[in-house]
Amino acid sequence: MSSGEDDETFGRRHAPMSAFEGDAAREWIRGVLAKKGVHTFADLPLRDRNSSLAPNESYRLVVMATDVTRGELIRLPWDYERYGLDPDKQLVCDAVRASISIPFFFRPVTIPYRGRPSTIVDGGVLSNFPIDAFDRTDAAPPRWPTFGVTLVPDLPAGNADLFPVLGLLKHGPVEFVESLVTTMIVGHDQTQLAKPWIAARAMEVATKGVGIVDFEITPAGQNELYESGRKAARQFLKTWSWDAYRKRFRVSPAALAPAAA
């Protein structure tokens, strides 16, 4: 993974078959961030005295990715130091590019690790709904609620909605690959969303048949998705209660302590 202006080695080692290189996406992200004055993670410090985050996690952005060489979920920039890299010198666009490396669709990227490159793919392979990244890590009560938005269909019927490109070739190994990739990205999170304390703060948005790799969605389709999201948010917030959520799922340690004899 590049840590400066040299982009030649970014994501080009040990790259298995993929439909798209992903370079255009990375450069677009890089340009958008540059307009906001954001280049490396040094531009995104989190200055919050009451935060429960450790110093190496005090950033305004954390990006999920999967290291398939080491077989684990990584959080960037939190885990850069494990690869011997200075988080503040890593390009934000590189981390975002790594997080969109859907297997077989976008070319994986690499991070050098002890002389052996680690292959990095989409964080959704292991966790596509990492809402717990926003939760406090100490015993203090949360200061505000955190909401999640789900944009994916239920398995197994939703496969074609996720990948319309593969939906055109519903035969043999192609159909199997589609089901495999869909399960990797969505399956774990259906289990996650089944947990009451997760479901209670997640709003579901109907995607109306638009896949996550539908790069040619029309303006009308975009507007339809926007309206679908707004409708879901309104319905969710009508019944949401911060006090009720904290009472049910965020009981303080003091409340659980046994009464004095």
Side-chain angles (χ1 to χ4, degrees):
M1 183 167 287
S2 172
S3 61
E5 297 304 312
D6 179 11
D7 300 332
E8 292 303 315
T9 61
F10 176 77
R12 297 190 182 280
R13 300 177 189 170
H14 302 284
M17 180 186 68
S18 56
F20 307 100
E21 289 188 347
D23 293 346
R26 175 180 180 264
E27 290 308 307
W28 179 80
I29 294 167
R30 185 176 186 173
V32 170
L33 290 173
K35 291 179 181 178
K36 299 292 185 179
V38 176
H39 302 280
T40 69
F41 279 97
D43 299 318
L44 295 174
L46 177 65
R47 298 184 176 91
D48 183 352
R49 293 181 179 178
N50 296 316
S51 171
S52 66
L53 293 174
N56 67 305
E57 298 176 350
S58 294
Y59 293 90
R60 291 160 54 197
L61 173 70
V62 56
V63 178
M64 303 295 169
T66 301
D67 184 335
V68 296
T69 302
R70 302 171 67 180
E72 60 185 5
L73 179 72
I74 59 174
R75 299 179 177 188
L76 305 175
W78 296 2
D79 292 323
Y80 274 129
E81 291 182 351
R82 295 167 57 188
Y83 295 89
L85 299 173
D86 182 346
D88 287 342
K89 294 182 179 180
Q90 307 310 309
L91 294 172
V92 177
C93 66
D94 281 1
V96 177
R97 169 64 184 83
S99 76
I100 67 170
S101 300
I102 302 172
F104 305 112
F105 283 86
F106 290 108
R107 184 186 63 212
V109 303
T110 58
I111 298 180
Y113 179 65
R114 296 180 180 177
R116 178 188 179 191
S118 279
T119 299
I120 311 299
V121 300
D122 186 356
V125 169
L126 292 180
S127 179
N128 203 46
F129 198 72
I131 195 171
D132 57 336
F134 296 95
D135 294 343
R136 295 192 67 89
T137 58
D138 56 14
R143 292 173 288 172
W144 50 73
T146 300
F147 303 130
V149 180
T150 63
L151 300 168
V152 293
D154 290 336
L155 291 175
N159 289 5
D161 288 346
L162 274 177
F163 301 112
V165 175
L166 288 181
L168 299 176
L169 303 169
K170 299 291 266 183
H171 300 287
V174 175
E175 184 175 6
F176 171 74
V177 169
E178 178 184 20
S179 297
L180 178 63
V181 174
T182 302
T183 300
M184 285 190 300
I185 294 177
V186 183
H188 172 272
D189 297 295
Q190 289 194 172
T191 302
Q192 181 82 338
L193 287 165
K195 299 175 181 176
W197 58 91
I198 299 295
R201 50 179 170 156
M203 59 189 79
E204 297 184 13
V205 177
T207 56
K208 300 185 182 298
V210 177
I212 59 176
V213 291
D214 188 351
F215 303 129
E216 297 182 353
I217 182 174
T218 65
Q222 295 175 28
N223 187 64
E224 191 173 9
L225 280 177
Y226 173 81
E227 292 299 330
S228 179
R230 184 163 66 172
K231 179 181 178 181
R234 284 178 173 174
Q235 291 177 341
F236 175 86
L237 293 173
K238 279 182 181 179
T239 60
W240 168 258
S241 171
W242 180 218
D243 289 336
Y245 179 85
R246 283 186 295 180
K247 277 184 180 180
R248 185 178 180 188
F249 301 113
R250 293 290 183 266
V251 179
S252 67
L256 296 176

